[in-house]
Amino acid sequence: MTTPSGPQARPARVLGTVDAVAIGAASMLGAGVFSVFAPAALGAGAWLPVAILIAGAVAYCNAVSSARLAARHPESGGAYVYGRERLGELWGYLAGWSFVVGKVASCAAMALTFAAYVLPGWEKPLAVAAVVAVTALDYRGLRRSTLVLKLMLGAVLAVLAAVVVTMLLSGRLAAVAEVDGLGPWPGSFGVLGAAGMIFFAFAGYARVATLGGEVRDPGTTIPRAIALSLGGVLALYLVVGTGLLIVLGRERLTTSAAPMADAVQVAGFPWMVPVVAAGAAVASLGALLTLVLGVSRTTAAMASDGHLPRALAAVHERHGVPHRAEIAVAAAVVVLVLAADLRGAIAFSAFGVLVYYAITNASALRLGPEETRPPLLVPLTGLVGCVVLACSLPLPAVITGMAVLAAGAGLWWLRERLTLR
């Protein structure tokens, strides 16, 4: 059974602070933490911790802006809602467009990463099966999804803690001098490009904001959950990234396809390799779960406003989820999985996410003093940081991203012209 879209068709507010923190942390601790440090080190070299801090600083500004806006606009849809309410219909549409298209690509990347760890050589069939299974779980409602997320998050944290312990026991972390100093400055483009890739791994910190319509006491819960999840994951990324750099060294880290597995081998614990692979698989699946949640809610929000087919805004009467939007998102992800280039999908996803958060910061600049606007420096830094990092990504990703944005703007203009007639 379904209910029509409209004011009466709203999902229930079932998420508390622990649930929201779990969603944010699980979103950030996806496949990125197991794979992003190698390509990032290729650009930043031994300045990798600096790139992590830059990405974290931009993410913090974005998080503050997102939290203030989410408290003011506690609706599902994230920056689509903020841009629409604060900047105008076009900017809200472009935020939603960037988020949906970019995150659908990210869903495909997470599904393929999961499959590569679980059953190498059969990535595409297993990735499709993972998308179907995750969508079926999401279809049953948020209570079941968040319970599974908590279990997944606990398993991933346990694996990451084990990796850090093995690196400590290797004795190499005590010999920081073996890193040979910071080495030559790789150039601003190298460090900023690395920060842009690492930001892709951070991007889930505000996932709970896109679920704002399903959070209890959003004015308190959303800011608290974003701060807790972002702060904890930033600290963990610094520890893990710096540890990998020291244990593997610059050269081996930049050429590693599985840096954490290589790190436990170098540390003298080869039996840990299957454990790391299992952790990467669980993390990828958890990220896929939260991605489908967030993308389907933004899709439903855009559909309810007529920017996408209105049928996608329907909410299931029993389970309280936008089930048609979830099915549509899953179908798009399956198509990408069957035809995706993993590296290109990740780069394009990073571009889309940075555009999305640039609009978030621009929206935060329009908050008034009576609306608990953040200090002016915060959204300004976030806006400039997002634009700079987006432009520092590989050129094909930037060109493709700009083309997709232009296509989205063209569709919006065409819809407006047809509506006026």
Side-chain angles (χ1 to χ4, degrees), residues 54-55 58 191-193 195-196 199 354 384-393 398:
I54 292 173
V58 174
V191 173
L192 292 174
F199 185 85
L354 285 164
V384 173
C386 285
V387 172
V388 170
L389 294 187
C391 294
S392 300
L393 289 167
V398 176

Side-chain angles (χ1 to χ4, degrees), residues 323-409:
H323 60 298
R324 291 178 182 171
E326 288 182 349
I327 293 172
V329 168
V333 173
V334 167
V335 171
L336 278 177
V337 162
L338 295 175
D341 173 77
L342 182 59
R343 187 172 300 178
I346 290 176
F348 175 72
S349 177
F351 183 89
V353 171
L354 285 164
V355 171
Y356 173 85
Y357 284 118
I359 294 174
T360 298
N361 283 291
S363 300
L365 288 171
R366 300 297 298 271
L367 286 169
E370 72 283 358
E371 298 175 298
T372 63
R373 183 180 62 195
L376 185 61
L377 184 62
V378 172
L380 277 177
T381 302
L383 176 59
V384 173
C386 285
V387 172
V388 170
L389 294 187
C391 294
S392 300
L393 289 167
L395 186 59
V398 176
I399 294 174
T400 303
M402 292 299 295
V404 170
L405 274 180

